[in-house]
Amino acid sequence: WTDNDIAKYVVFDNLEFTAAAAPVTTPPVISKAFSVPSVAAGGTADLTITVANPSGLSASALSVTDVIPAPLQLVAGSVTTTCTPVVAPATPASSLNDSNNTIALSGYGLPIAGCTISAQVQWPTSAAAQCLLAAPANGAVNTITSGTQFSTTAGQNPANATAMLSCQMADLALTLPSAPLTATRGNTLSYAFQLQNLSANLPASASTVQLTLPAGTSVNAALSDARCNSSGLCSFGTLAANASEPFTVVLDVPTSLDPAATTLPLSAVAATTTTETTATNNSVSTQAALQKFTVTVNAQVIGEAAAVSQLNDPIVYALSCQWQPTGSPGHQSAGALPLVQGQLAAPAAFT
């Protein structure tokens, strides 16, 4: 066989040529989020803008513009980025600024792993009135429009980036589900309180309850909540949104309490360093009726020291009394008692 012979008899049967399929790529996509859903008036939140690069494309001329919506204010000097800067004399040179309440990044490269732009925003106290409005009016919506405010040389996903930051206030509520109605000298009084933060999203910082104790009473440290001190100040730290803290305060009622006292009034006020929606539900008050003692005195002559023939001759007596209600301390006394005008005069030690 010669080369020509081979050429004559080479036959191709249904020969097909196909090109390799082009890889499917996903263009860069932008998203954004605040570090918290809500802040108090005067509070701040971190804003993170993320530029993802799902296909690891080589992209340059990354441009992002984010106009911070009112009433939010961009904290000056807080803007940073992990995107790749392009150094002059390359064109365009990179720039990143935060003037006019706007984040403006341009001329950056997009790393294979993507990159972020970070900043801090504040809800000014001058806009506190908006915090009282119902959702969504109490929030500021922040949007970056793809194609006009976000672009790269590799294109961009058409989805916009949107995030909302709300302004809310804490709302402490103090209740007293269980309080004594009566009190007895020498016993204790137990008060069961409930402290709540009714805010859906905002914690209440440095939350406290200050009790005004009835005159003459004192906090029983062994029986009371450990977060309450001897002056009636109960400290709870930061009370989370929707959180509830039950606590009990027990008071000692001394036997030496003012004899003229008839009631034991107690009041309590809750407070927080976080701005509140309203303070009308922060306080409670109650009073316990102080029971009076019914004293029964029994006197019995049990003998004579000598013949009793005239007034002031001594006789031997026995006196006893019982304080009521039951369980209260009693007093007993016995000794020589002079008979005066047909009556027994109580000795000085018997009170």
Side-chain angles (χ1 to χ4, degrees):
W1 291 65
T2 65
D3 290 341
N4 289 335
D5 292 330
I6 294 173
K8 290 179 186 179
Y9 297 101
V10 174
V11 177
F12 295 94
D13 185 13
N14 296 323
L15 183 63
E16 295 182 4
F17 294 92
T18 58
V24 177
T25 59
T26 301
V29 59
I30 193 167
S31 61
K32 64 186 311 183
F34 289 104
S35 57
V36 291
S38 300
V39 293
T44 60
D46 295 327
L47 170 63
T48 301
I49 302 168
T50 301
V51 182
N53 190 2
S55 298
L57 302 175
S58 176
S60 59
L62 171 62
S63 176
V64 176
T65 302
D66 189 9
V67 180
I68 305 301
L72 298 180
Q73 294 178 351
L74 187 62
V75 177
S78 66
V79 180
T80 60
T81 184
T82 61
C83 301
T84 306
V86 177
V87 181
T91 304
S94 299
S95 67
L96 175 64
N97 64 72
D98 58 4
S99 60
N100 300 317
N101 215 40
T102 299
I103 300 172
L105 177 145
S106 64
Y108 273 72
L110 178 62
I112 292 176
C115 61
T116 59
I117 304 167
S118 302
Q120 195 173 62
V121 298
Q122 182 183 48
W123 194 292
T125 54
S126 59
Q130 191 171 339
C131 303
L132 299 174
L133 301 177
N138 65 348
V141 179
N142 190 200
T143 301
I144 298 173
T145 304
S146 182
T148 57
Q149 295 178 311
F150 165 56
S151 61
T152 76
T153 53
Q156 57 280 328
N157 188 291
N160 298 333
T162 300
M164 186 175 92
L165 182 65
S166 297
C167 176
Q168 289 196 357
M169 296 183 179
D171 185 10
L172 288 185
L174 181 64
T175 56
L176 186 57
S178 176
L181 299 178
T182 59
T184 305
R185 289 174 172 84
N187 286 344
T188 60
L189 288 174
S190 181
Y191 298 87
F193 292 92
Q194 181 108 338
L195 180 63
Q196 295 174 283
N197 180 11
L198 302 180
S199 173
N201 294 301
L202 195 65
S205 301
S207 299
T208 61
V209 174
Q210 178 64 66
L211 279 67
T212 301
L213 307 181
T217 65
S218 58
V219 175
N220 186 313
L223 300 179
S224 297
D225 193 295
R227 294 169 291 187
C228 301
N229 64 20
S230 59
S231 64
L233 177 64
C234 305
S235 302
F236 302 93
T238 298
L239 195 60
N242 291 317
S244 178
E245 287 288 348
F247 63 102
T248 299
V249 177
V250 178
L251 303 183
D252 288 324
V253 183
T255 56
S256 59
L257 203 64
D258 182 1
T262 58
T263 60
L264 296 180
L266 177 139
S267 61
V269 179
T272 173
T273 56
T274 304
T275 306
E276 287 197 77
T277 303
T278 176
T280 58
N281 55 353
N282 284 31
S283 61
V284 294
S285 61
T286 186
Q287 66 178 12
L290 188 58
Q291 289 187 318
K292 295 182 177 180
F293 290 117
T294 299
V295 180
T296 302
V297 178
N298 297 308
Q300 180 183 10
V301 176
I302 58 175
E304 298 180 3
V308 178
S309 59
Q310 58 183 0
L311 291 179
N312 294 323
D313 281 350
I315 64 173
V316 179
Y317 75 94
L319 293 179
S320 67
C321 74
Q322 178 63 48
W323 292 1
Q324 296 293 334
T326 302
S328 300
H331 183 83
Q332 293 184 344
S333 179
L337 181 71
L339 181 66
V340 180
Q341 297 294 329
Q343 299 179 346
L344 293 175
F350 189 81
T351 58

